[in-house]
């Protein structure tokens, strides 16, 4: 390819990778603001981010999932164009999961909305929500492992530590939402930690790929 064509291709790839710099921070800021003002029995320590879809103003979190999903899919394409095909597919699964979580609202859990039981039977929407979300969470974990290789020792150590912290927080959050004694009251906290760690990795990856 001629130099102008190569430069244009690089510019397009950089723009796609930049979506990875925006998706995570935007998603986190929006759900943090929502959590602070949700009220009506919602606790950021106790309840999942997905529960923000329920009740008044739930459309904001729905939109948050959808926007983050679109940005993540664009980022996955940038990762693909950068030559990391397996990692790109896994990040794409994360993006699809976000989109699915926005299209299908979650079921009540841990007593939110007020008046609902701690655990309830699956509705079709709730089952679809989890059907998209759970594989997405696991795909982001595997992506951290797959993309840890070939970029030096510091990147390897960071990626493995990130993946470990992410997985531990994910399982603690899941246990809390499944009403495990001692973890119910902090399920939301551990989920938020997992989400922040996971998005932190995608941001670091975007920065690294844009520099290479």
């Amino acid at each position: 390819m001629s130099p102008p064509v190569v430069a244009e291709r690089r510019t397009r790839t950089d723009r796609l990778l930049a979506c990875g710099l925006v998706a995570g921070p935007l998603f986190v800021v929006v759900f943090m603001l929502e959590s602070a003002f949700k009220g009506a029995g919602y606790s950021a320590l106790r309840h999942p981010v997905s529960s923000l879809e329920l009740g008044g103003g739930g459309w904001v979190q729905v939109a948050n999932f959808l926007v983050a999903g679109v940005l993540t899919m664009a980022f996955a394409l940038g990762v693909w164009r950068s030559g990391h095909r397996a990692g790109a597919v896994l990040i794409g699964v994360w993006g699809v999961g976000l989109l699915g979580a926005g299209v299908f609202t979650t079921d009540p859990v841990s007593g939110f909305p007020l008046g609902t039981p701690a655990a309830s039977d699956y509705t079709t929407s709730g089952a679809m929500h989890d059907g998209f979300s759970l594989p997405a969470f696991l795909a982001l974990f595997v992506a951290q492992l797959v993309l840890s290789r070939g970029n030096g020792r510091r990147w390897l150590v960071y990626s493995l530590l990130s993946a470990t912290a992410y997985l531990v927080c994910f399982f603690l959050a899941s246990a809390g939402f499944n009403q495990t004694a001692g973890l119910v009251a902090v399920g939301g906290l551990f989920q938020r930690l997992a989400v922040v760690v996971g998005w932190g990795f995608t941001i670091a990856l975007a920065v690294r790929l844009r520099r290479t």
Side-chain angles (χ1 to χ4, degrees):
M1 290 186 291
S2 65
V5 172
V6 172
E8 177 63 22
R9 178 179 174 82
R10 180 65 198 186
T11 298
R12 292 178 180 176
T13 300
D14 282 347
R15 289 172 180 170
L16 291 168
L17 291 172
C19 292
L21 300 175
V22 176
L26 178 63
F27 185 82
V28 171
V29 167
V30 170
F31 81 62
M32 287 180 65
L33 290 173
E34 287 185 276
S35 299
F37 294 102
K38 187 70 171 178
Y42 184 87
S43 168
L45 295 178
R46 181 183 183 91
H47 300 117
V49 171
S50 294
S51 290
L52 292 166
E53 293 181 304
L54 306 175
W59 66 270
V60 176
Q61 183 55 34
V62 170
N64 196 25
F65 275 126
L66 296 177
V67 171
V70 170
L71 289 171
T72 300
M73 294 300 292
F75 174 55
L77 180 56
V79 176
W80 179 277
R81 289 166 64 102
S82 298
H84 301 275
R85 301 299 173 82
V89 171
L90 291 163
I91 291 174
V93 173
W94 171 240
V96 170
L98 291 166
L99 292 171
V103 172
F104 300 101
T105 56
T106 189
D107 288 327
V109 66
S110 297
F112 182 84
L114 290 175
T116 58
S120 57
D121 293 334
Y122 266 133
T123 64
T124 299
S125 180
M128 293 297 292
H129 181 94
D130 285 355
F132 277 95
S133 299
L134 295 179
F137 270 106
L138 294 178
L140 186 55
F141 166 70
V142 178
Q144 293 174 73
L145 300 180
V146 169
L147 292 164
S148 68
R149 298 170 295 179
N151 289 291
R153 183 177 178 83
R154 291 179 63 184
W155 177 256
L156 174 66
V157 171
Y158 162 71
S159 299
L160 295 181
L161 288 176
S162 176
T164 301
Y166 173 87
L167 190 65
V168 169
C169 290
F170 171 75
F171 277 116
L172 290 174
S174 298
F177 300 147
N178 285 318
Q179 309 306 301
T180 300
L183 292 173
V184 177
V186 289
L189 171 62
F190 281 113
Q191 188 199 50
R192 282 161 173 77
L193 290 174
V195 168
V196 169
V197 169
W199 281 123
F201 175 82
T202 64
I203 294 168
L205 177 64
V207 170
R208 174 171 285 274
L209 293 179
R210 281 169 59 86
R211 287 177 175 173
T212 57

